[in-house]
């Protein structure tokens, strides 16, 4: 019997108890549909019709190829980019964890993500100056540039654990999607993930955004599996949720949602059919959610204990703001170490600070509620946007898919709403979970019963891959074709969307090859040390305008926010060059 090309995205019966959902059970038709009429065999069909052992090799090979190209993109990016603004803080904190076992630095973020970075720092074996006692913004710079270490080598090693973790999350995306939509859905979702410019850009940095979002996605996948084997997957989901909360505090917003999903999974598992089953199921659902919460709390404590078994923590005077109202009570009630609660208070304090933003050429103070959706519209490949939209519509409108929708759409919606409410309009990295969850959501298009759907979906996937490959290796400033690609991103966005200090090394090469011997004036937004890379320049903002003559180099984020003397200098100069789509060179 010929099977439909589309698979059921919501299995109605659990698979074999000895295997995870979707791994052994045959693909099912959506209820009420008939098998498609057999078509003339194509070359691909004949290949798939070969003995099963050949088919078993074909899928792992496809997965390996997709992840290999992603790995090449991320490693190349990691090798060529200088430290971004946040990375030295995390690398320096990781070194303090390793050598001092102290929680004194960077309390506004929990330690797990920095412990992951510490694995790479330990492998690099840098010299660490125990006598240096600077704050978190200076310790990393001292480690990279003033302690006799090679910053290129140290940064690569620090980034490699995050790269490896990002690739592992790709396997989660593939497995989750395969369980929902079969092999075709799994490969399609992995293609979207592997070619996502934002995931590649931030997955190649020693930062916390991708690890935190990936742990949330992993927890959701495990909660989906708990519908069949709750005793196995609920504790694992709790561990993944705890890892997210122990990596970045913005994931706290997902905790109530995932606990609700834990209870839903236990309810759907229906482990009992005895009289009074509904009451027993409700009790089991509450117990399941409590188990997930307890495991998550234990993981957070374990992360802090791994740094310092004695949990020594004393905030510096003025370091932790006083937080009133509901937020203050929340920070005080969380069952986490004191360092975590103080870190959350620091985060709340940062939200109350004065920030500036830049969107579509407008420089503004404060924040815009629509900033993140607008930024995602610019920085997401067009084919990816279309597949996300179609998949979301399918999950919301097709009855057979609605049991899956809460697992994929609810966490994404809640996290995005909380991020949109934030005061720091600095980049799509605050919503990096959107392309990660979106890759799985896109498999919903396979439930749309139209003959043209597979062809259109394949075309959109190809469009995504081409758009992503065209921007190589400049993934951080990526913009889709509708907004002029990476060369035009700086006209619409700023900060980590475009210019995060990553191109200082490329700038040094450009100045050496094209502008040797010329006077250089530099306004650089980043954590790198220009002189280390051979850039000898002065800051023009402290000099009379008439004396600023020669080559004026300005980071694009500084161009976007230029005021006063810098704005006049830029307006009276003419643009002659750019570096990495993140730094502009003017001639005066």
């Amino acid at each position: 019997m010929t099977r439909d090309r589309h698979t059921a995205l919501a299995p109605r019966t659990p698979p074999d108890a000895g295997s995870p959902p979707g791994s052994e059970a045959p693909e099912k038709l959506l209820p009420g549909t008939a098998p498609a009429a057999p078509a003339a065999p194509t070359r691909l069909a004949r290949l798939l019709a070969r003995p099963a052992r050949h088919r078993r090799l074909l899928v792992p090979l496809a997965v390996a190829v997709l992840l290999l190209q992603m790995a090449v993109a991320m490693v190349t990016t990691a090798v060529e980019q200088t430290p971004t603004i946040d990375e030295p803080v995390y690398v320096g904190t990781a070194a303090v964890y390793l050598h001092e076992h102290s929680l004194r630095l960077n309390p506004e973020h929990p330690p797990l993500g920095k412990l992951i970075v510490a694995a790479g720092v330990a492998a690099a074996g840098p010299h660490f100056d125990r006598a240096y006692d600077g704050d978190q913004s200076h310790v990393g710079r001292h480690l990279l540039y003033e302690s006799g270490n090679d910053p290129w080598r140290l940064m690569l090693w620090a980034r490699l654990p995050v790269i490896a973790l990002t690739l592992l999350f790709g396997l989660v995306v593939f497995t989750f999607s395969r369980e929902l939509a079969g092999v075709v859905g799994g490969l399609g979702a992995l293609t979207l993930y592997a070619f996502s410019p934002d995931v590649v850009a931030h997955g190649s940095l020693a930062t916390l955004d991708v690890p935190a979002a990936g742990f949330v996605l992993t927890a959701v996948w495990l909660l989906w599996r708990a519908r069949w084997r709750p005793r196995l997957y609920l504790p694992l989901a709790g561990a993944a949720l705890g890892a997210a909360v122990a990596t970045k505090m913005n994931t706290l917003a997902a905790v109530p949602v995932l606990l609700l999903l834990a209870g839903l999974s236990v309810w759907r598992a229906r482990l009992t059919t005895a009289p009074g089953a509904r009451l027993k199921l409700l009790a089991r659902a509450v117990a399941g959610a409590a188990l997930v919460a307890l495991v998550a709390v234990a993981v957070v404590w374990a992360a802090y204990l791994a740094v310092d078994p004695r949990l020594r923590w004393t905030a510096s005077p003025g370091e932790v703001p006083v937080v009133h109202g509901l937020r203050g009570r929340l920070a005080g009630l969380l069952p986490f170490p004191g360092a975590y609660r103080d870190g959350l208070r620091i985060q709340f304090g940062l939200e109350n600070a004065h920030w500036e933003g830049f969107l579509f050429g407008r420089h503004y103070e404060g924040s815009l509620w629509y900033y993140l959706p607008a930024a995602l519209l610019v920085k997401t490949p067009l084919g990816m946007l279309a597949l996300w939209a179609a998949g979301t519509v399918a999950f919301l409108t097709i009855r057979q898919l609605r049991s899956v929708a809460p697992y994929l759409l609810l966490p994404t919606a809640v996290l995005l709403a909380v991020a949109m409410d934030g005061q720091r309009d600095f980049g799509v990295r605050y919503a990096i979970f959107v392309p990660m969850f979106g890759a799985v959501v896109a498999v919903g298009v396979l439930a749309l019963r139209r003959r043209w759907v597979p062809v259109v979906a394949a075309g959109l996937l190809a469009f995504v891959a081409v758009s992503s490959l065209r921007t190589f290796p400049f993934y951080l400033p990526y913009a889709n074709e509708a907004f002029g690609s990476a060369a035009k991103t700086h006209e619409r966005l700023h900060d980590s969307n475009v210019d995060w200090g990553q191109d200082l090394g490329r700038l040094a090469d450009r100045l050496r090859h094209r502008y040797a011997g010329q006077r250089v004036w530099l306004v650089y937004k980043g954590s790198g040390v220009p002189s280390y890379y051979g850039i000898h320049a002065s800051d023009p903002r402290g000099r009379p305008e008439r004396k600023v003559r020669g080559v004026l180099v300005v980071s694009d984020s500084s161009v976007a926010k230029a005021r006063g003397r810098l704005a006049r200098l830029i307006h009276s100069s003419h643009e002659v060059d750019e570096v990495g789509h993140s730094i502009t060179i003017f001639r005066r």
Side-chain angles (χ1 to χ4, degrees):
M1 174 180 173
T2 303
R3 290 185 295 186
D4 198 331
R5 289 172 296 178
H6 310 308
T7 58
L9 292 167
R12 300 182 63 176
T13 57
D16 189 349
S19 60
S23 60
E24 299 295 338
E27 296 178 353
K28 297 179 176 66
L29 297 172
L30 283 175
T33 60
T42 63
R43 184 175 181 180
L44 178 59
R46 290 194 297 270
L47 179 62
L48 293 175
R50 290 180 181 177
R53 57 191 178 91
H54 293 288
R55 294 202 304 271
R56 285 197 297 268
L57 292 175
L58 191 61
V59 174
L61 179 62
V63 171
V65 169
L66 288 170
L67 291 179
L68 178 61
Q69 76 78 29
M70 189 183 195
V72 170
M74 289 193 294
V75 171
T76 302
T77 301
V79 168
E80 294 185 2
Q81 291 187 160
T82 43
T84 58
I85 290 176
D86 287 0
E87 286 182 291
V89 173
Y90 301 143
V91 172
T93 302
V96 169
Y97 286 175
L98 289 170
H99 293 275
E100 298 181 6
H101 302 287
S102 170
L103 295 165
R104 66 183 178 88
L105 293 184
N106 196 231
E108 61 264 36
H109 293 298
L112 183 59
K114 290 165 286 187
L115 286 172
I116 293 170
V117 172
V121 174
H127 174 262
F128 179 77
D129 185 1
R130 292 178 178 270
Y132 186 79
D133 186 26
D135 62 24
Q136 65 180 26
S137 63
H138 293 97
V139 168
R141 178 175 293 194
H142 181 76
L143 177 70
L144 288 167
Y145 298 107
E146 300 168 7
S147 300
N149 299 309
D150 179 355
W152 291 104
R153 179 176 178 273
L154 179 53
M155 284 308 308
L156 176 59
W157 276 103
R159 290 164 172 168
L160 285 177
V162 180
I163 291 173
L165 196 58
T166 304
L167 294 172
L168 289 175
F169 293 143
L171 292 178
V172 172
V173 168
F174 169 74
T175 306
F176 196 178
S177 303
R178 184 188 62 183
E179 292 169 0
L180 296 176
V183 169
V184 173
L187 291 176
L190 182 58
T191 300
L192 288 180
Y193 179 85
F195 285 102
S196 169
D198 287 326
V199 175
V200 171
H202 294 283
S204 59
L205 301 176
T207 53
L208 311 178
D209 303 292
V210 170
F215 285 132
V216 174
L217 176 63
T218 303
V220 170
W221 167 54
L222 292 167
L223 289 174
W224 166 256
R225 285 190 159 208
R227 289 160 56 103
W228 289 273
R229 300 179 67 185
R231 292 183 180 88
L232 172 62
Y233 290 113
L234 285 180
L236 294 176
L241 178 58
V245 175
T247 298
K248 203 169 182 188
M249 291 179 180
N250 64 350
T251 59
L252 282 169
V255 172
V257 179
L258 267 63
L259 295 183
L260 178 64
L261 294 177
L264 179 62
S265 291
V266 174
W267 182 273
R268 292 292 180 88
R270 298 191 180 276
L271 297 180
T272 178
T273 58
R278 294 180 68 86
L279 186 59
K280 291 182 179 180
L281 281 173
L282 181 60
R284 287 177 182 268
V286 173
L291 174 62
V292 170
L294 287 173
V295 174
V297 170
V299 170
V300 174
W301 279 90
Y304 280 88
L305 290 169
V307 176
D308 181 4
R310 296 166 61 185
L311 292 178
R312 291 164 294 181
W313 163 250
T314 302
S316 303
E319 183 178 15
V320 180
V322 177
V323 181
H324 301 285
L326 180 61
R327 288 181 171 183
R329 289 194 293 272
L330 172 64
L333 291 175
L334 288 176
F336 297 140
Y340 191 104
R341 297 195 299 272
D342 280 350
L344 186 59
R345 294 184 179 98
I346 294 174
Q347 286 288 351
F348 289 148
L350 291 172
E351 285 295 299
N352 294 329
H354 174 76
W355 304 106
E356 298 178 351
F358 181 81
L359 181 65
F360 293 131
R362 175 191 172 191
H363 178 204
Y364 57 90
E365 296 185 359
S367 62
L368 301 174
W369 69 265
Y370 54 85
Y371 171 83
L372 279 176
L376 286 167
L377 186 65
V378 174
K379 293 188 61 64
T380 303
L382 295 172
M384 194 175 293
L385 289 171
L387 289 168
W388 289 356
T392 301
V393 170
F395 276 107
L396 290 175
T397 60
I398 297 177
R399 181 175 58 84
Q400 291 84 358
L401 307 186
R402 288 176 186 164
S403 63
V404 193
Y407 292 85
L408 294 175
L409 302 183
L410 193 56
T412 308
V414 169
L415 286 171
L416 182 59
V418 172
M420 289 169 60
D421 187 55
Q423 299 300 305
R424 288 170 277 182
D425 291 352
F426 291 162
V428 294
R429 64 190 181 90
Y430 287 94
I432 197 65
F433 51 84
V434 173
M436 299 174 78
F437 274 86
V440 184
V441 170
V443 303
V445 301
L446 296 179
L448 301 176
R449 301 296 179 165
R450 298 292 185 271
R451 289 184 177 274
W452 47 264
V453 166
V455 176
V456 172
L460 291 174
L461 286 174
F463 188 20
V464 169
V466 170
S467 182
S468 180
L469 291 171
R470 284 182 58 199
T471 201
F472 175 87
F474 306 110
Y475 290 99
L476 203 62
Y478 171 86
N480 62 46
E481 290 75 10
F483 294 95
S485 299
K488 298 294 185 180
T489 314
H490 68 279
E491 297 178 3
R492 297 168 177 87
L493 298 167
H494 80 311
D495 208 85
S496 61
N497 286 317
V498 181
D499 159 40
W500 216 13
Q502 75 273 13
D503 284 320
L504 194 59
R506 292 188 178 110
L507 174 63
D509 292 339
R510 185 68 54 84
L511 293 175
R512 185 165 51 251
H513 293 146
R514 294 189 186 178
Y515 305 95
Q518 300 185 43
R519 180 66 185 271
V520 177
W521 304 87
L522 176 64
V523 178
Y524 166 67
K525 185 179 187 295
S527 296
V529 176
S531 60
Y532 176 86
Y533 301 94
I535 300 174
H536 302 288
S538 303
D539 190 333
R541 292 169 293 187
R543 303 291 181 88
E545 294 176 35
R546 68 181 184 276
K547 292 188 177 182
V548 180
R549 292 290 182 267
V551 178
L552 174 63
V553 181
V554 187
S555 294
D556 283 341
S557 291
S558 297
V559 174
K561 296 182 176 181
R563 291 178 176 175
R565 178 173 297 176
L566 179 58
R568 293 193 297 270
L569 288 171
I570 292 173
H571 292 154
S572 61
S573 306
H574 62 278
E575 182 179 337
V576 295
D577 206 349
E578 63 87 20
V579 178
H581 307 306
S582 74
I583 299 175
T584 302
I585 300 178
F586 302 90
R587 173 77 67 185
R588 284 189 54 80

